[in-house]
Amino acid sequence: MVEVYAMKVRIKFSKQGPVKFLGHLDTMRYFQKAIRRAELPVAFSGGYSPHMIMSFAAPLGVGTTSRGEYFDVEFTETIPTNEIVKRLNSTMAEGMEILSARQVEDGKASKAMSLVAAADYYVEFREGKEPEINWKDKVAAFLNQSEIPVMKKTKKSEKEVDIRPFIYKMEVQENKIFYMLASASANYTKPELVTDTFFNWLGEELLPFAYTVERLEVYAQEGNEENLKFVPLEELGEEVE
């Protein structure tokens, strides 16, 4: 029997500095401990091995920073969302910060992981590792290709995939490459893959660890093909006083 919950909450947090080296499972364990330290009334599953009812939106690669990560959690009591933010932030280690908490309803917004459709990223070259070629003026030509085939590894083999439909936006912003990329489980596209493919297309071999990656936001998809839009997961919930 699953524990009855009174409130489902979507937490948005940032991950900066040394904690970027925490993997997905370690991040999940970190927040399980943080919720206990914050003395929040978290709901548990039933059975012989009860666990906190949590769902993370999209795993973040080790070494990648983020300004917009999400997880859903269920509580057995209704708590003001600003109180949730305050309590959790009082337990955070350096580099972790709770940005918002929003109540979400099952009928309006399902689990965060199943909602993910796209994500924004910045790719920035480390000092002394940016290619000397004039790559910034080549972005438009790269996107104008009808197809951008790449070899993607599967669990059993490799297969050629056209990633052009999954690059929703790519442009230069303040000496960084800005991306909006598909991020659903069926078409998840890494910014590293697009960046490496772009420079391979230019005939340029990048230096090892040439750039850093930061995730900016994670989106759900709303509307149909004629009126398609992407909405930050945060906006699918509401504050509770």
Side-chain angles (χ1 to χ4, degrees), residues 13-23 27 59-67 69 96 120-123 126 188 190-192 211-216:
F13 66 97
S14 64
K15 190 177 181 183
Q16 304 286 330
V19 293
K20 69 182 181 181
F21 295 111
L22 284 179
T27 299
L60 187 68
V62 175
T64 301
T65 59
S66 179
R67 304 181 198 176
E69 296 300 290
M96 289 285 199
D120 290 343
Y121 300 89
Y122 270 145
V123 167
R126 289 186 166 93
Y188 180 64
K190 294 182 178 181
E192 295 92 338
Y211 55 82
T212 61
V213 178
E214 181 171 45
R215 185 146 67 190
L216 307 175

Side-chain angles (χ1 to χ4, degrees), residues 122-149:
Y122 270 145
V123 167
E124 183 175 16
F125 283 102
R126 289 186 166 93
E127 187 175 354
K129 294 197 173 186
E130 180 178 343
E132 295 181 359
I133 63 170
N134 185 19
W135 58 269
K136 296 175 186 176
D137 293 339
K138 307 296 184 182
V139 171
F142 177 68
L143 292 179
N144 281 337
Q145 298 177 97
S146 59
E147 294 183 353
I148 302 178

